[in-house]
Amino acid sequence: MGEAKQGSNKNLSKLAPQQRSRVMAYEEPSKEVAQAQQESMKRLVDQKRSRRPKPVDWTLAKEREKQSILIGQLKAAEARNRIKLMRLRYTKNRGDEVSHLIASQPTALKAVRLQSLLPPYDVKPSSEDGLDKLERRRVECLLEDATGLITNRRS
């Protein structure tokens, strides 16, 4: 083995790359390589120290959480507003189209028929009571008539 080390430089150049790497794996690295290895290990240790998690400031974490919740609520409100505007735009465009179709009918009778079948705007029933004071009084009187004297019309 001692002879192989003395003539290793000559023999190494003759060896195949795989064999050369196997032989060189057991030799001590040169000074430059050893120094580069030490420097890289030092850099790795420094990076590991810098990546350690810093102590958490709980007040700051709570503030961030509150802020993220607030941002989420704002985004949700904006999305609801966009949807509402899209619905209104769709309803208006549909109403304009139906109105145009009604206006472009050749006769008034056809226009009235189309309008009765296809109203330009959806008429939603109102949740308000459509009775005036007199009608309300009359309905209440009819409801209070338990014996049926007012509504009973048999003679």
Side-chain angles (χ1 to χ4, degrees):
M1 254 166 113
E3 294 175 13
K5 284 189 177 182
Q6 290 174 354
S8 65
N9 290 338
K10 295 177 186 175
N11 292 338
L12 282 178
S13 61
K14 294 179 183 177
L15 292 176
Q18 282 183 332
Q19 290 175 340
R20 189 179 325 142
S21 68
R22 285 182 190 147
V23 169
M24 291 180 69
Y26 295 102
E27 291 185 12
E28 289 293 322
S30 66
K31 290 181 183 179
E32 299 155 353
V33 173
Q35 186 179 3
Q37 284 178 341
Q38 284 179 344
E39 288 175 5
S40 64
M41 285 303 289
K42 195 182 249 186
R43 274 196 316 269
L44 288 173
V45 169
D46 289 342
Q47 283 180 357
K48 196 173 186 181
R49 284 184 191 149
S50 67
R51 288 186 183 171
R52 281 189 188 151
K54 295 181 173 97
V56 178
D57 184 12
W58 291 109
T59 57
L60 186 62
K62 281 192 170 192
E63 286 297 319
R64 284 185 184 154
E65 186 177 339
K66 285 180 183 178
Q67 192 172 16
S68 68
I69 289 172
L70 182 64
I71 288 172
Q73 290 173 347
L74 288 173
K75 286 183 178 181
E78 287 175 353
R80 283 192 302 269
N81 193 28
R82 278 195 307 271
I83 291 171
K84 181 180 175 183
L85 288 174
M86 285 175 54
R87 284 185 184 143
L88 288 173
R89 193 177 308 127
Y90 169 78
T91 305
K92 182 187 176 304
N93 289 340
R94 182 185 175 280
D96 291 345
E97 280 291 319
V98 171
S99 295
H100 176 71
L101 282 173
I102 292 169
S104 64
Q105 294 299 310
T107 63
L109 183 60
K110 288 184 179 182
V112 170
R113 282 184 185 158
L114 183 63
Q115 188 174 11
S116 66
L117 293 173
L118 193 65
Y121 296 100
D122 290 336
V123 179
K124 295 181 183 176
S126 65
S127 61
E128 294 180 15
D129 193 8
L131 301 176
D132 62 359
K133 287 182 182 180
L134 183 64
E135 290 171 338
R136 174 160 303 287
R137 207 173 310 135
R138 176 75 176 137
V139 169
E140 287 174 358
C141 182
L142 289 172
L143 290 174
E144 290 173 0
D145 183 25
T147 58
L149 295 176
I150 298 174
T151 55
N152 193 1
R153 297 191 176 189
R154 289 188 202 159
S155 333

